[in-house]
Coordinates of all heavy atoms in Angstrom, one line a residue:
K59 N 19.2 -11.5 -4.4 CA 18.2 -11.2 -3.4 C 18.4 -12.0 -2.2 O 19.1 -13.0 -2.1 CB 16.8 -11.6 -4.0 CG 16.4 -10.7 -5.2 CD 15.0 -11.0 -5.7 CE 14.6 -10.0 -6.8 NZ 13.2 -10.3 -7.2
Q60 N 17.7 -11.6 -1.1 CA 17.8 -12.3 0.2 C 16.9 -13.5 0.1 O 15.9 -13.6 -0.6 CB 17.3 -11.3 1.3 CG 18.3 -10.2 1.6 CD 17.9 -9.5 2.9 OE1 16.8 -9.4 3.2 NE2 18.9 -9.0 3.6
R61 N 17.3 -14.5 0.9 CA 16.5 -15.7 1.1 C 15.1 -15.3 1.7 O 15.1 -14.5 2.6 CB 17.2 -16.7 2.0 CG 16.5 -18.0 2.0 CD 17.4 -19.1 2.7 NE 18.7 -19.3 2.1 CZ 19.5 -20.3 2.5 NH1 19.2 -21.1 3.5 NH2 20.7 -20.4 1.8
E62 N 14.0 -15.8 1.2 CA 12.7 -15.5 1.7 C 11.9 -16.8 2.0 O 12.1 -17.8 1.3 CB 11.9 -14.6 0.7 CG 11.6 -15.3 -0.6 CD 10.8 -14.3 -1.6 OE1 10.4 -13.2 -1.2 OE2 10.6 -14.7 -2.7
L63 N 11.0 -16.6 2.9 CA 10.2 -17.7 3.3 C 9.1 -17.9 2.3 O 8.4 -17.0 2.0 CB 9.6 -17.5 4.7 CG 8.6 -18.5 5.2 CD1 9.2 -19.8 5.4 CD2 8.0 -18.0 6.5
V64 N 8.9 -19.1 1.8 CA 7.9 -19.4 0.8 C 6.6 -20.0 1.5 O 5.5 -19.6 1.2 CB 8.4 -20.3 -0.3 CG1 7.3 -20.7 -1.3 CG2 9.6 -19.7 -1.0
A65 N 6.9 -21.1 2.3 CA 5.8 -21.8 2.9 C 6.3 -22.5 4.1 O 7.4 -23.0 4.1 CB 5.1 -22.7 1.9
T66 N 5.4 -22.7 5.1 CA 5.7 -23.5 6.2 C 4.5 -24.4 6.6 O 3.4 -24.0 6.3 CB 6.0 -22.6 7.5 OG1 4.9 -21.8 7.8 CG2 7.2 -21.7 7.2
V67 N 4.9 -25.5 7.2 CA 3.9 -26.3 7.8 C 4.4 -26.7 9.2 O 5.5 -27.3 9.3 CB 3.6 -27.6 6.9 CG1 4.8 -28.4 6.6 CG2 2.5 -28.5 7.6
T68 N 3.6 -26.4 10.2 CA 4.0 -26.6 11.6 C 3.9 -28.1 11.9 O 3.3 -28.9 11.2 CB 3.2 -25.8 12.6 OG1 1.9 -26.3 12.6 CG2 3.2 -24.3 12.2
R69 N 4.4 -28.4 13.1 CA 4.3 -29.8 13.5 C 2.8 -30.2 13.7 O 2.5 -31.4 13.7 CB 5.1 -30.1 14.7 CG 4.8 -29.3 15.9 CD 5.7 -29.6 17.1 NE 5.3 -29.1 18.3 CZ 5.9 -29.2 19.5 NH1 7.0 -30.0 19.5 NH2 5.4 -28.7 20.6
D70 N 2.0 -29.2 13.9 CA 0.6 -29.4 14.1 C -0.2 -29.4 12.8 O -1.4 -29.6 12.8 CB 0.0 -28.4 15.0 CG 0.5 -28.4 16.4 OD1 0.8 -29.5 16.9 OD2 0.8 -27.3 17.0
G71 N 0.5 -29.2 11.7 CA -0.1 -29.2 10.4 C -0.7 -27.9 9.9 O -1.3 -27.8 8.8
N72 N -0.4 -26.8 10.6 CA -0.8 -25.5 10.2 C 0.1 -25.0 9.1 O 1.3 -25.1 9.2 CB -0.9 -24.5 11.4 CG -1.9 -24.9 12.4 OD1 -3.0 -25.2 12.1 ND2 -1.5 -24.9 13.7
T73 N -0.5 -24.3 8.1 CA 0.3 -23.8 7.0 C 0.3 -22.3 6.9 O -0.6 -21.7 7.3 CB -0.1 -24.4 5.7 OG1 -1.5 -24.1 5.5 CG2 0.0 -25.9 5.7
N74 N 1.4 -21.8 6.3 CA 1.5 -20.4 6.0 C 2.2 -20.2 4.7 O 3.1 -21.0 4.4 CB 2.2 -19.7 7.2 CG 2.2 -18.2 7.1 OD1 1.2 -17.6 6.8 ND2 3.3 -17.5 7.3
Y75 N 1.9 -19.1 4.0 CA 2.5 -18.9 2.7 C 2.9 -17.5 2.4 O 2.2 -16.5 3.0 CB 1.5 -19.3 1.6 CG 1.1 -20.7 1.5 CD1 -0.1 -21.2 2.3 CD2 1.8 -21.7 0.8 CE1 -0.4 -22.5 2.2 CE2 1.5 -23.0 0.8 CZ 0.3 -23.4 1.5 OH 0.0 -24.8 1.5
L76 N 3.9 -17.3 1.6 CA 4.2 -16.0 1.1 C 3.1 -15.5 0.3 O 2.5 -16.3 -0.5 CB 5.5 -16.1 0.2 CG 6.1 -14.9 -0.4 CD1 6.7 -13.9 0.6 CD2 7.2 -15.3 -1.4
D77 N 2.7 -14.2 0.4 CA 1.5 -13.7 -0.3 C 1.6 -14.0 -1.8 O 0.6 -14.4 -2.4 CB 1.4 -12.2 -0.1 CG 0.8 -11.9 1.3 OD1 0.3 -12.8 1.9 OD2 0.9 -10.7 1.6
S78 N 2.7 -13.9 -2.4 CA 2.8 -14.0 -3.9 C 2.6 -15.4 -4.4 O 2.5 -15.7 -5.6 CB 4.2 -13.5 -4.4 OG 5.2 -14.2 -3.8
V79 N 2.6 -16.4 -3.5 CA 2.5 -17.8 -3.9 C 1.1 -18.4 -3.4 O 0.8 -19.5 -3.8 CB 3.6 -18.7 -3.4 CG1 5.0 -18.1 -3.8 CG2 3.5 -19.0 -1.9
K80 N 0.4 -17.6 -2.7 CA -0.9 -18.1 -2.2 C -1.8 -18.5 -3.3 O -2.0 -17.7 -4.3 CB -1.6 -17.1 -1.3 CG -1.0 -17.0 0.1 CD -1.7 -15.9 0.9 CE -1.1 -15.8 2.3 NZ -1.7 -14.7 3.1
G81 N -2.5 -19.6 -3.2 CA -3.3 -20.1 -4.3 C -2.6 -20.8 -5.4 O -3.3 -21.5 -6.2
R82 N -1.3 -20.8 -5.4 CA -0.5 -21.5 -6.4 C 0.3 -22.6 -5.9 O 0.5 -23.6 -6.5 CB 0.4 -20.5 -7.2 CG -0.3 -19.4 -7.9 CD 0.6 -18.5 -8.7 NE 1.7 -17.9 -8.0 CZ 3.0 -18.1 -8.2 NH1 3.4 -18.9 -9.2 NH2 3.9 -17.4 -7.5
F83 N 0.8 -22.4 -4.7 CA 1.7 -23.4 -4.0 C 1.0 -24.1 -2.9 O 0.2 -23.4 -2.2 CB 3.0 -22.7 -3.5 CG 3.9 -22.2 -4.5 CD1 3.6 -22.1 -5.9 CD2 5.2 -21.8 -4.1 CE1 4.5 -21.7 -6.8 CE2 6.1 -21.3 -5.0 CZ 5.8 -21.2 -6.4
T84 N 1.3 -25.3 -2.6 CA 0.7 -26.1 -1.5 C 1.9 -26.8 -0.8 O 2.6 -27.6 -1.5 CB -0.3 -27.0 -2.0 OG1 -1.4 -26.3 -2.6 CG2 -1.0 -27.8 -0.8
V85 N 2.0 -26.6 0.5 CA 3.0 -27.4 1.3 C 2.3 -28.5 2.0 O 1.2 -28.3 2.5 CB 3.7 -26.4 2.2 CG1 2.8 -25.8 3.2 CG2 4.9 -27.1 2.9
S86 N 3.0 -29.6 2.1 CA 2.4 -30.7 2.9 C 3.5 -31.5 3.5 O 4.6 -31.5 3.0 CB 1.5 -31.6 1.9 OG 2.3 -32.1 0.9
R87 N 3.1 -32.3 4.5 CA 4.1 -33.1 5.2 C 3.6 -34.5 5.4 O 2.4 -34.7 5.5 CB 4.6 -32.5 6.5 CG 3.5 -32.5 7.6 CD 4.0 -31.7 8.8 NE 5.1 -32.3 9.5 CZ 5.9 -31.7 10.3 NH1 5.8 -30.4 10.5 NH2 6.9 -32.3 10.9
D88 N 4.5 -35.5 5.4 CA 4.1 -36.9 5.7 C 5.0 -37.3 6.9 O 6.2 -37.7 6.7 CB 4.3 -37.7 4.5 CG 3.9 -39.2 4.6 OD1 3.8 -39.6 5.8 OD2 3.6 -39.8 3.6
N89 N 4.4 -37.4 8.0 CA 5.2 -37.7 9.2 C 5.6 -39.2 9.2 O 6.5 -39.6 9.9 CB 4.5 -37.4 10.5 CG 4.4 -35.9 10.7 OD1 5.2 -35.1 10.2 ND2 3.5 -35.5 11.6
A90 N 4.9 -40.0 8.5 CA 5.2 -41.4 8.4 C 6.5 -41.7 7.6 O 7.2 -42.7 7.8 CB 4.1 -42.2 7.9
K91 N 6.7 -40.8 6.6 CA 7.8 -40.9 5.7 C 8.9 -39.9 5.9 O 9.9 -39.9 5.2 CB 7.3 -40.8 4.2 CG 6.4 -41.9 3.8 CD 6.0 -41.8 2.4 CE 5.0 -42.9 1.9 NZ 4.6 -42.8 0.5
D92 N 8.7 -39.0 6.9 CA 9.7 -38.0 7.2 C 10.0 -37.1 6.0 O 11.2 -36.8 5.6 CB 11.0 -38.5 7.8 CG 10.8 -39.2 9.1 OD1 9.7 -39.1 9.7 OD2 11.8 -39.7 9.7
T93 N 8.9 -36.7 5.3 CA 9.1 -35.9 4.1 C 8.2 -34.7 4.1 O 7.1 -34.7 4.8 CB 8.8 -36.7 2.8 OG1 7.5 -37.2 2.9 CG2 9.8 -37.8 2.6
V94 N 8.6 -33.6 3.4 CA 7.8 -32.5 3.2 C 7.9 -32.1 1.7 O 8.9 -32.3 1.1 CB 8.2 -31.3 4.1 CG1 9.7 -30.9 3.8 CG2 7.3 -30.1 4.0
A95 N 6.7 -31.7 1.2 CA 6.6 -31.4 -0.2 C 6.1 -30.0 -0.5 O 5.4 -29.5 0.4 CB 5.7 -32.5 -0.9
L96 N 6.5 -29.5 -1.6 CA 5.9 -28.2 -2.1 C 5.4 -28.4 -3.5 O 6.2 -28.6 -4.4 CB 7.0 -27.1 -2.0 CG 6.5 -25.7 -2.4 CD1 5.6 -25.2 -1.3 CD2 7.7 -24.8 -2.5
Q97 N 4.1 -28.4 -3.7 CA 3.5 -28.5 -5.0 C 3.4 -27.1 -5.5 O 2.7 -26.2 -4.9 CB 2.1 -29.1 -4.9 CG 1.4 -29.2 -6.3 CD 2.1 -30.1 -7.3 OE1 2.6 -31.2 -6.9 NE2 2.2 -29.6 -8.5
M98 N 4.0 -26.8 -6.7 CA 4.0 -25.5 -7.2 C 3.3 -25.5 -8.6 O 3.8 -26.2 -9.5 CB 5.5 -25.0 -7.4 CG 6.3 -25.0 -6.1 SD 7.9 -24.3 -6.3 CE 8.7 -25.5 -7.4
N99 N 2.2 -24.8 -8.7 CA 1.4 -24.7 -9.9 C 1.5 -23.2 -10.4 O 1.8 -22.3 -9.7 CB 0.0 -25.1 -9.6 CG -0.1 -26.5 -9.2 OD1 0.7 -27.4 -9.5 ND2 -1.1 -26.8 -8.3
S100 N 1.1 -23.1 -11.7 CA 1.0 -21.8 -12.3 C 2.3 -21.0 -12.1 O 2.3 -19.8 -11.7 CB -0.2 -21.0 -11.8 OG -1.4 -21.7 -12.0
L101 N 3.4 -21.6 -12.3 CA 4.7 -21.0 -12.1 C 5.0 -19.8 -13.0 O 4.5 -19.8 -14.1 CB 5.8 -22.1 -12.2 CG 5.9 -23.0 -11.1 CD1 6.7 -24.3 -11.5 CD2 6.6 -22.3 -9.9
K102 N 5.6 -18.9 -12.4 CA 6.0 -17.6 -13.0 C 7.5 -17.4 -13.1 O 8.2 -18.0 -12.3 CB 5.4 -16.4 -12.3 CG 3.9 -16.5 -12.1 CD 3.3 -15.4 -11.2 CE 1.8 -15.5 -11.0 NZ 1.3 -14.3 -10.2
P103 N 8.0 -16.6 -14.0 CA 9.4 -16.4 -14.1 C 10.0 -15.9 -12.8 O 11.1 -16.2 -12.4 CB 9.6 -15.4 -15.2 CG 8.4 -15.7 -16.1 CD 7.3 -16.1 -15.2
E104 N 9.2 -15.1 -12.0 CA 9.7 -14.6 -10.8 C 9.8 -15.6 -9.7 O 10.3 -15.3 -8.6 CB 8.8 -13.4 -10.3 CG 7.3 -13.7 -10.3 CD 6.7 -13.2 -11.6 OE1 7.2 -13.4 -12.7 OE2 5.5 -12.6 -11.4

């Protein structure tokens, strides 16, 4: 399959999600630690 966008967090902190992961995944960033995380819950085989 082609690479697809799952989630983004802008430099202003705005987030956007692939429809199929909304409500299950959460993206966050920590500008003090230069890290970005993706919390994935209720994972599915797909």
